[in-house]
């Protein structure tokens, strides 16, 4: 499986963020994970729209940063993210090709103020649609205590599903291995969906062109509606040992903050996660 590494800038030296990002891109990062915290959804405050805008501009600048095309993976740990999606989308748009970037919201946080503290499935769906309407890949995340099954019908809309393997809020915490059943569940659903898609494609290819236009097309349209195509991301406590556990469970995007940024050899650290 193709494993993507997403260093979290939460553990970077913010006084030289551009150089820090360049350093991990040169060391082999596949995307840059940006942790946005509001002090409400999580008990910590980090960065917001202006920093994302500066970063996007720096990456796309003249001359562009090495790895200017590396996607930004914006992890919104904020209440009512739907209120801020447009601002983050504008920030990402600062000279970049938007379609490569991700905005990931917390399922628990969407529509939070209108839902008695807990986001609704419907609010999450609306939020993902809003992100996509801005030409940005959309993802959702669940905290360790949140079950994933209740969001099954959201999966066809997701480009990324992020399983938190620590309580969100801080870097440097211990990996929660008991989150791996969520990762396996996502992997099984994805593999099953791809198998069906493969079978349908095979059927269509095996039939005559005329037939394809009739029943084949209908079949594809019908089955395609529920097709899944998301990245499975884990975040929190990733190092060489826990990365192996997460990969074996089926994760293909690994976020790592302290492990990469505090390492003396970032290239080696990234390689050890694949
Ligand atoms: C935690 C953040 C993580 C954090 C990971 O709430 O979402 O992205 O930076 O840090 P490490 O890899 O140090 O656990
Ligand atoms: Zn994160």
């Amino acid at each position: 499986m193709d494993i993507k590494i997403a260093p979290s800038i939460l553990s970077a030296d913010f006084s030289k963020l551009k150089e820090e990002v360049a350093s991990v891109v040169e060391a082999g990062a596949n995307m840059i994970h940006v942790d946005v915290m509001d002090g409400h959804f999580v008990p910590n405050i980090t960065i917001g729209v202006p920093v994302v805008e500066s970063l996007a501009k720096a990456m796309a600048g003249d001359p562009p940063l090495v790895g200017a095309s590396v996607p930004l993976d914006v992890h919104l740990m904020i209440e009512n993210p739907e209120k801020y999606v447009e601002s983050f989308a504008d920030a990402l748009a600062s000279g970049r090709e938007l379609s490569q970037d991700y905005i990931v919201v917390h399922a628990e946080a969407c529509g939070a103020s209108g839902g008695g503290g807990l986001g609704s499935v419907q609010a999450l769906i609306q939020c993902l649609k809003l992100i996509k309407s801005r030409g940005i890949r959309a993802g959702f995340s669940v905290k360790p205590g949140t079950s994933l099954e209740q969001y099954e019908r959201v999966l066809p809309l997701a480009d990324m599903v992020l399983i938190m393997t620590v309580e969100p809020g801080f870097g440097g915490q211990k990996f929660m291995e008991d989150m791996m059943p969520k990762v396996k569940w996502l992997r099984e659903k994805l593999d099953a969906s791809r198998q069906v898609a493969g079978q349908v494609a095979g059927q269509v290819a095996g039939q005559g062109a005329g037939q394809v236009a009739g029943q084949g097309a209908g079949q594809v349209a019908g089955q395609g509606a529920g097709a899944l195509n998301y990245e499975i991301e884990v975040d929190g406590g990733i190092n060489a040992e826990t990365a192996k556990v997460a990969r074996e469970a089926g994760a293909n995007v690994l976020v790592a903050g302290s492990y990469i940024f505090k390492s003396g050899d970032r290239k080696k650290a990234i390689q050890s996660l694949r």
Side-chain angles (χ1 to χ4, degrees), residues 33 35 75 235:
H33 188 81
D35 286 308
H75 179 192
D235 183 8

Side-chain angles (χ1 to χ4, degrees), residues 6-80:
S8 161
I9 58 168
L10 190 57
S11 293
D13 178 346
F14 282 104
S15 70
K16 46 174 186 171
L17 189 54
K18 188 176 170 181
E19 290 78 6
E20 290 280 77
V21 168
S23 142
V24 290
V25 167
E26 276 166 19
N30 304 98
M31 49 182 99
I32 299 297
H33 188 81
V34 181
D35 286 308
V36 176
M37 304 187 192
D38 67 352
H40 289 280
F41 182 69
V42 290
N44 195 8
I45 299 176
T46 55
I47 58 171
V49 173
V51 175
V52 173
E53 186 179 332
S54 294
L55 187 55
K57 276 189 182 150
M59 290 174 84
D62 187 17
L65 189 70
V66 181
S69 60
V70 170
L72 291 173
D73 173 29
V74 182
H75 179 192
L76 296 184
M77 286 162 276
I78 63 175
E79 239 166 62
N80 293 108

Side-chain angles (χ1 to χ4, degrees), residues 174-190:
K174 190 173 178 293
F175 179 77
M176 298 167 76
E177 192 167 345
D178 52 344
M179 293 301 118
M180 292 306 99
K182 290 185 189 176
V183 173
K184 284 181 189 152
W185 184 81
L186 285 173
R187 175 56 60 195
E188 278 161 21
K189 295 259 166 243
L190 186 59

